[in-house]
Amino acid sequence: MHAALNSPGLVVSLAMLVGVLAQVVARHVDVPGIVLLLIAGVALGPDVANLIRPSALGVGLEALVGFAVAVILFDGGLHLNLKLLRTQQVPIRRLVLMGSVLTAVGGALFAHWLLAWDWRHSFLFGTLVIVTGPTVITPLLRRIHARRSVETILEAEGIFIDAVGATIAVVALEVLLAPPNDRWSTAIAGIATRLGVGTGIGLLGGALFAVCMRFRKTLPEGLANVAALASAVAIFEASNALVAESGITAAIFAGMVVGNTRSHDIAELRAFKEQLTLLLVATLFVLLAADVRLSNIVALGWPGLLVVLGLIFVVRPVDVFASTLGTSLEFREKAFLSWLAPRGIVAAAVSSLFAARLSRAGIEGGEAIRALVFLVIAVTVVIQGMTAGGVASLLGVRAPREVGYVILGADEVSRLLGAALARSGEEVVFIDTSQDFARAAEEAGFKVVFGDGLDERALLKARVETRRACIGATPNESVNLLFASKVHAFAKHVTTYVAIERKAEGVSAAMVKQQRAHVLFVCAQELAKWRTPILKQGVEVQSWQLAEGNPSDAPHFEDLASTSALPFTLTRDGLTTPAERPFRARAGDVLRLAIALDQVERMEAELTAQGWTKLADAADGSVDEEQAKSARTDAGGLRS
């Protein structure tokens, strides 16, 4: 049994299984996953249970780390939205460039003063703690739901600073190993060459793959995800082959190019990469944590802990306030940015690489540097990860609640509903598993979460707990009802709407009410049949206002709506909401609805007879087949 545990295959498979189980437990107890990953790695590593033995992998550990880092950073680049980055480009640029220098110098000073390390080892440590990392930041931000400006800065900093920080760290190591006379030339050339080559290879490789994704016939259905995986690793390794350690920059820029290219496969690709990243992060953290000796961490003593606290309470605030000087950020936002800078997988991976290279060069201190980096990771993740939500609430930087709508289903009917809701200036976010529907909604200008609306991750991405309402509008009434139930379990205060069918069996209005939800579209509808007029002969979307002294005959209107019209929204006293049952209009209310083109004359006559007046609307008009297919009807939504 002892010999069997040295099998490389068993080591990787055990780390993978333990990592996934740790993530599962972390979700259940609502703690940052990295906390349990570190604990699991140490507990099962050579110093405790001795079940996971990274040394059995030999040089294969470095290859595995490279593979994982390529995928992780490519995934980070995929989620970078260039339009959002431009809104906060000044603080992001300063945090990445100026912040890197300030963090490296601050970390080095604390290590030199408190641990009495020589300046070479101190600066090596300082460069290693420059990076923060999207693998830790992004999950924390999803739990916190901070303001968009703060989220944008932290996510972009975490991704870009990985490239800059890792490059500076690798160059610093080369400077240490280079002859004294060549050190400055080595440093300058090393940084410029790595960033330049990495950026060039990343942009070129990402552009080539993005072109393939733009044309549906180039990559057969089902192969886009594996092609992206192969491309990410190939770009990473090709860049490293040209210039050592330039692959990190290449992977980030390749992902960014692909992520900002319109493609029918991009939503599914993001979902796939996120799953793969979760698996790789879990596996890698367990392996790297198991590879660190507890004796080296204990040997750091209180001075080591004080170095970490110095990074948290002195270096990071100085970094943030210096980098955001003169920007539009409020003091509260700067304070929150100062608090949240946990280190992640890139710091762990590069420090492990350093320890190995210093050992091979016969230079002592590599293990101590790695131990201190892992202490930084553990302390920052535990302290900042566990308190980030409370600090965000205390500083008032959480995103506002009751803003916008989430719609489950992005088919033709749902997109018309989304366009009607977006007219009021509210953000509309769709959730769907259909590539075609997701692409159509994105092309219409809406933000789309590609995934299952009954999955908690999709609800987190859509920020359902901050929304005014969540709407189940798929043709499957059972799924719509389950969605409402899931949303209420996730966020009890959020209003929900459910689209139901007219058939006698199935979901009834009473069942919807039992779930504390509302019937959408005023009454039961045959949504599947509504797609036919939208796609074939077209529909006309109109706005009608109820005149003074003409209360609507609700039962008659519901009968009319169930056969000839599809009511989307009701605007009352300036507030636009989905049209729901029971329908009780008041004088002055404005109703927005869709009418099949062959029913327009009859429907207009009926509405007029009930006391409604048609409003002139520049955005109205018939929706032809091409418009319906591209979901460009009506006013567009807010782009993601």
Side-chain angles (χ1 to χ4, degrees), residues 139 177 214 259-260 276 311 393 420 513 567:
L177 299 177
R214 287 280 292 178
N260 285 275
L276 189 58
L311 286 171
S393 297
K513 185 177 181 180

Side-chain angles (χ1 to χ4, degrees), residues 106 110 114 304-317:
F110 274 108
L114 297 173
L305 184 59
L306 290 176
V307 170
V308 180
L309 296 179
L311 286 171
I312 295 174
F313 293 105
V314 179
V315 176
R316 177 63 177 180

Side-chain angles (χ1 to χ4, degrees), residues 216 261-271 407-412 414-415 428-452 531 628-632 638-640:
R216 303 194 67 167
T261 300
R262 290 199 177 279
S263 166
H264 64 283
D265 282 330
I266 192 64
E268 185 180 7
L269 176 60
R270 285 177 180 148
I407 301 177
L408 178 66
D411 66 5
E412 295 80 5
S414 296
R415 296 198 299 273
V428 177
V429 179
F430 288 97
I431 303 177
D432 208 312
T433 56
S434 165
Q435 292 184 36
D436 292 333
F437 289 159
R439 177 168 60 95
E442 284 187 330
E443 289 179 351
F446 294 104
K447 182 176 180 180
V448 179
V449 174
F450 184 83
D452 183 356
R531 291 184 63 194
K629 285 184 178 179
S630 65
R632 296 183 186 277
L638 304 179
R639 292 191 178 272
S640 61

Side-chain angles (χ1 to χ4, degrees), residues 70 73 194 198 235-237 239-240 243-252:
L73 295 182
R194 281 176 173 82
I235 290 169
F236 177 83
E237 293 296 347
S239 188
N240 276 343
V243 177
E245 311 307 332
S246 64
I248 288 177
T249 306
I252 291 172

Side-chain angles (χ1 to χ4, degrees), residues 333-410:
E333 293 172 321
K334 295 178 182 179
F336 183 70
L337 292 172
S338 299
W339 179 245
L340 200 61
R343 272 56 177 187
I345 195 67
V346 173
V350 178
S351 65
S352 295
L353 171 68
F354 274 30
R357 290 187 62 177
L358 289 173
S359 177
R360 288 196 294 268
I363 299 176
E364 296 182 356
E367 292 297 333
I369 292 175
R370 178 167 66 164
L372 186 55
V373 170
F374 268 84
L375 185 61
V376 172
I377 294 172
V379 174
T380 55
V381 167
V382 172
I383 293 180
Q384 296 175 349
M386 301 295 283
T387 62
V391 172
S393 297
L394 183 66
L395 293 172
V397 296
R398 285 186 182 270
R401 289 177 175 260
E402 297 189 9
V403 175
Y405 296 87
V406 173
I407 301 177
L408 178 66

Side-chain angles (χ1 to χ4, degrees), residues 5 33 70 81 168 232 271 347 478 491:
L5 290 174
N81 187 312
I168 292 174
S478 297

